[in-house]
Amino acid sequence: MAERTNRRDNLVETAGRLFLQHGYDGTSVRQIAEAVGVTEAALYYHFKDGKRGLLEAVIGSQIPNLIHIVDECETAETLQEFVVQLGERLGALNPARMEKLRWMLTEFPRMTAHEREMFHHKHLAFQQRIASSVGRFVPDPTEARTVAATITCLIFGYGFLFFSLDLQSVSDLKQADIIRLFAQSLAART
Amino acid sequence: MAERTNRRDNLVETAGRLFLQHGYDGTSVRQIAEAVGVTEAALYYHFKDGKRGLLEAVIGSQIPNLIHIVDECETAETLQEFVVQLGERLGALNPARMEKLRWMLTEFPRMTAHEREMFHHKHLAFQQRIASSVGRFVPDPTEARTVAATITCLIFGYGFLFFSLDLQSVSDLKQADIIRLFAQSLAART
DNA sequence: GTCTATAGGGTGATAGAC
DNA sequence: GTCTATCACCCTATAGAC
């Protein structure tokens, strides 16, 4: 019984890694089964819906959970400090998370409505969590939510451009400088 | 002679459309040839390196050219106004451009060094063009470049999150509000 | 639960005629 | 330049034995 679950989890994990590396269409069921050490037939026993069902399971496990990173920035005493801390933690410390998000973006067009909903739900919770933290420095709730959205756009935009599209290798601009300028600006907004 | 060029261009254009819709691995040489109205053999006459060579040609033609959009914002008289105009033009007016950029991101891991270089070169020119416009309002050149980078991160981040990942369908936050807050902040920075 | 064997079809690519 | 014909291989998925 325990073995069954482990093998299933192992398949999802391995498929996730391969999908991330080579994309859904670029990865064959054969590759996945081989990497796990089972036959294709065994894979089809665990996933009655085959490759497509496997993708669904992977999507569920691949949506990055970022909320705890916001928790770690609770010690910030100014909006500027909060943004800088969040930027540092989200931007540089975990390239793997950015890779997952990049993958979500590449597979998004082929996702079902339900799969998209899972992602949206998680991201909105993340943004709401930021808005709640920002609320300490921005009293107006609507403005706090807009500030939160602006922060996520900036940080993810940096991630996509400089990390996923590797602009960091050809630009001398440092992430810290961009975040600092942005944080200063937000704190000084009229 | 003219026919030869037209057919080649037609192949690149059609392949580009299909790659964008279904991805590189999700599109077969057969599909492309059929859509253009030739046989596979004819395609291999035009592209000696086959599907891979076709991809290379598509990448070259698919890198979005955004510089002229910056030119259109030259009338702005303040930094805030400039950012708002650029945001409006880049963010909302051209979903097709965002789609191309999303595709660049999906194919980026499999691009060759030379292909990545083409993209980087074009994007740096775009960013440099923004920095030059921003220079009218920000005298220090280094700061102007940082401001330009911050602007591109924000705008592309919005595009990826709200358009490519379709957050716009589940969030009531308006792009105009985010851009306005950001533009105000930048102009007020200390 | 996992295996072997296989069906049925799509894939990228090429040879050779016109 | 474009065609027909074909190759050798890989693909997803299933049937049936153990």
Side-chain angles (χ1 to χ4, degrees):
Chain A
M1 195 77 99
E3 273 182 73
R4 173 165 44 198
T5 331
N6 281 342
R7 180 123 299 177
R8 220 195 108 101
D9 290 352
N10 198 344
L11 279 165
V12 174
E13 195 185 327
T14 304
R17 193 165 35 78
L18 291 173
F19 286 166
L20 218 133
Q21 266 175 55
H22 311 112
Y24 177 76
D25 285 319
T27 309
S28 71
V29 173
R30 204 156 297 178
Q31 274 179 291
I32 299 167
E34 222 160 82
V36 172
V38 294
T39 58
E40 297 170 65
L43 186 151
Y44 279 94
Y45 168 80
H46 289 289
F47 295 89
K48 305 295 180 199
D49 290 339
K51 195 185 180 184
R52 177 75 218 183
L54 197 42
L55 174 64
E56 207 144 323
V58 167
I59 288 174
S61 78
Q62 210 67 302
I63 298 176
N65 194 348
L66 303 168
I67 285 191
H68 70 279
I69 294 189
V70 189
D71 295 335
E72 295 171 11
C73 304
E74 275 297 305
T75 58
E77 286 174 4
T78 63
L79 178 58
Q80 180 170 350
E81 209 181 306
F82 174 77
V83 173
V84 168
Q85 282 189 20
L86 193 62
E88 277 174 1
R89 285 181 163 76
L90 274 178
L93 294 178
N94 223 328
R97 288 235 170 63
M98 205 61 226
E99 261 304 285
K100 286 187 184 179
L101 205 67
R102 188 194 66 79
W103 183 78
M104 295 296 296
L105 214 141
T106 75
E107 306 296 345
F108 200 78
R110 99 179 82 243
M111 288 188 196
T112 65
H114 173 250
E115 290 156 0
R116 294 177 186 208
E117 209 178 313
M118 292 196 311
F119 170 77
H120 284 155
H121 181 265
K122 208 148 185 173
H123 187 87
L124 286 183
F126 172 64
Q127 208 152 291
Q128 179 51 43
R129 177 68 190 78
I130 294 181
S132 136
S133 262
V134 164
R136 288 189 290 144
F137 316 110
V138 181
D140 180 59
T142 304
E143 193 178 4
R145 290 179 58 242
T146 308
V147 168
T150 311
I151 293 172
T152 59
C153 286
L154 191 282
I155 292 179
F156 284 127
Y158 178 87
F160 283 128
L161 289 176
F162 282 73
F163 181 75
S164 299
L165 288 170
D166 200 33
L167 273 181
Q168 63 183 350
S169 73
V170 291
S171 170
D172 58 336
L173 290 169
K174 292 282 161 278
Q175 182 195 7
D177 293 331
I178 294 174
I179 293 282
R180 196 182 310 124
L181 179 88
F182 175 67
Q184 272 174 10
S185 301
L186 262 193
R189 84 198 177 288
T190 47
Chain B
M1 195 78 99
E3 272 182 74
R4 173 165 45 198
T5 330
N6 281 341
R7 177 118 310 168
R8 221 195 108 101
D9 291 351
N10 199 344
L11 279 164
V12 174
E13 195 185 328
T14 303
R17 193 164 35 78
L18 291 173
F19 286 167
L20 219 133
Q21 267 174 56
H22 311 111
Y24 176 76
D25 286 319
T27 309
S28 70
V29 173
R30 213 153 288 182
Q31 272 180 293
I32 299 168
E34 221 160 84
V36 172
V38 294
T39 58
E40 297 168 65
L43 186 151
Y44 279 94
Y45 168 82
H46 289 287
F47 295 88
K48 305 294 179 199
D49 291 338
K51 196 184 180 184
R52 177 76 218 181
L54 196 42
L55 174 64
E56 207 144 323
V58 168
I59 288 173
S61 77
Q62 208 71 300
I63 298 176
N65 194 349
L66 303 168
I67 286 191
H68 70 278
I69 294 190
V70 189
D71 296 334
E72 294 172 13
C73 304
E74 275 298 303
T75 57
E77 287 174 3
T78 63
L79 178 56
Q80 181 171 350
E81 209 180 307
F82 173 76
V83 174
V84 167
Q85 282 190 20
L86 193 62
E88 276 173 2
R89 285 181 164 76
L90 276 178
L93 293 177
N94 223 328
R97 288 233 170 64
M98 206 60 226
E99 261 303 286
K100 285 187 184 179
L101 206 66
R102 188 192 67 78
W103 182 78
M104 295 295 297
L105 217 140
T106 75
E107 306 295 346
F108 200 78
R110 96 179 86 245
M111 286 188 195
T112 65
H114 174 250
E115 289 156 0
R116 294 176 186 209
E117 210 178 313
M118 292 196 311
F119 170 76
H120 284 155
H121 183 265
K122 209 148 187 172
H123 187 88
L124 286 183
F126 172 63
Q127 207 152 292
Q128 179 52 42
R129 178 66 190 80
I130 294 181
S132 137
S133 262
V134 164
R136 288 188 290 143
F137 316 111
V138 181
D140 180 60
T142 305
E143 192 179 5
R145 291 179 56 244
T146 307
V147 168
T150 310
I151 293 173
T152 59
C153 286
L154 192 282
I155 292 179
F156 284 127
Y158 178 87
F160 283 129
L161 289 175
F162 280 73
F163 181 76
S164 300
L165 288 170
D166 200 33
L167 273 180
Q168 63 183 351
S169 73
V170 290
S171 169
D172 58 336
L173 290 168
K174 291 281 158 280
Q175 181 194 8
D177 293 331
I178 295 174
I179 294 283
R180 196 183 310 125
L181 179 87
F182 175 67
Q184 271 175 10
S185 301
L186 263 192
R189 84 198 177 289
T190 47

